[in-house]
Amino acid sequence: MLLGLNGATTMHASLETDIEAAGQAGYDLLEIWGAKLERYLARQTPADLALLLKKNNVAPYSINSIEHINLRSPQDFEQIKASCRRLSAIAQVIGCPYIVVVPSPLPAGVNKAQVHDDAVSVLRTLADIAAPYGVRLAFEMLGQVECSVSTLQDVWTIVKAVDRAEVGLVLDTYHFYVGGSTLSSLMDVDPAKLFIFHINDVEPGERKTLTDAQRLLPGEGVIPLADICRGLRN
């Protein structure tokens, strides 16, 4: 197993700082936070980034993220496709195998079947864009009630229907917990499709009211992390 630093956990640090800190702490991998990447590329090139990563002995694992990919207007989806193409090209240069893609909020009047069908279509289209660059897409459910894909069961049903080698999922323990995903749903997921595992904890509280600001280091909160990890191994 390889361990990675998620750039979202050091939100106010620069990408350069993330890379240097990850290297000094002995992390194998880095998940690159998209906003930090954009600030870096305003001054440097993807080739410069590849050299910086190599210098610090840290491998880029994913870029997080392309947000709100589904349930978009045709015009908005053109921008999503352009972002996917651009980030895939950058990922290819730096040797990053994954891009995280995130679902949209649920519009009024849209049912679960419509969400499923739209997400499957969108992910297949984006996979067509990413595949020539050797990049795969990791679809991450968000546990907030307003999200269109909020449970492990939902995201797995979509990824399974996409049926593309380039498309898998992200399991974030915070979103797993606040979205009400069940431990039994872990047994349904093909381990080969679990591209990224985000492990973190959260303060006690009503699940529907918890926010990212209440996340904690693993073991400091109430998420049944040991049970989740056992479920993934079985």
Side-chain angles (χ1 to χ4, degrees):
M1 180 177 67
L2 299 177
L3 294 178
L5 173 67
N6 186 343
T9 65
T10 57
M11 190 61 73
H12 299 294
S14 67
L15 180 53
E16 295 95 325
T17 299
D18 283 352
I19 293 169
E20 293 168 4
Q24 291 176 18
Y27 283 100
D28 306 291
L29 309 168
L30 176 68
E31 179 164 285
I32 297 172
W33 188 247
K36 298 181 185 184
L37 176 65
E38 295 301 336
R39 288 193 290 272
Y40 178 89
L41 293 178
R43 309 181 310 275
Q44 306 288 341
T45 69
D48 294 327
L49 178 55
L51 290 172
L52 182 62
L53 288 158
K54 184 176 181 179
K55 176 183 176 182
N56 287 274
N57 199 31
V58 176
Y61 193 69
S62 56
I63 298 172
N64 189 341
S65 62
I66 304 174
E67 299 186 0
H68 300 172
I69 65 166
N70 61 323
L71 304 171
R72 304 297 297 268
S73 69
Q75 295 83 1
D76 288 343
F77 190 53
E78 286 301 316
Q79 295 181 3
I80 295 295
K81 290 192 291 184
S83 293
C84 185
R85 186 172 293 106
R86 176 175 175 270
L87 288 179
S88 295
I90 293 168
Q92 183 183 51
V93 172
I94 66 174
C96 182
Y98 299 106
I99 296 173
V100 177
V101 292
V102 177
S104 301
L106 181 66
V110 176
N111 61 40
K112 180 174 285 191
Q114 291 170 310
V115 171
H116 176 276
D117 292 346
D118 182 78
V120 170
S121 175
V122 162
L123 285 166
R124 286 176 176 165
T125 298
L126 296 181
D128 287 339
I129 293 171
Y133 296 94
V135 173
R136 295 194 280 179
L137 305 176
F139 192 38
E140 181 175 14
M141 86 267 192
L142 302 183
Q144 289 88 348
V145 293
E146 68 271 14
C147 186
S148 58
V149 183
S150 58
T151 69
L152 181 60
Q153 181 179 359
D154 289 342
V155 74
W156 171 237
T157 300
I158 291 167
V159 167
K160 186 167 57 172
V162 172
D163 194 25
R164 292 284 298 273
E166 299 87 6
V167 178
L169 62 91
V170 181
L171 173 55
D172 183 299
T173 55
Y174 166 81
H175 290 299
F176 181 93
Y177 179 76
V178 300
S181 294
T182 63
L183 291 170
S184 61
S185 67
L186 293 165
M187 305 299 293
D188 297 327
V189 177
D190 179 355
K193 287 293 189 179
L194 179 58
F195 290 172
I196 301 170
F197 181 43
H198 291 161
I199 184 166
N200 51 98
D201 221 324
V202 74
E203 298 172 6
E206 173 60 37
R207 295 191 193 194
K208 292 182 179 179
T209 65
L210 293 171
T211 68
D212 286 331
Q214 292 165 282
R215 294 199 197 208
L216 298 170
L217 292 171
E220 295 185 357
V222 296
I223 298 176
L225 298 177
D227 292 336
I228 293 171
C229 290
R230 276 193 292 269
L232 291 174
R233 292 193 194 100
N234 295 330

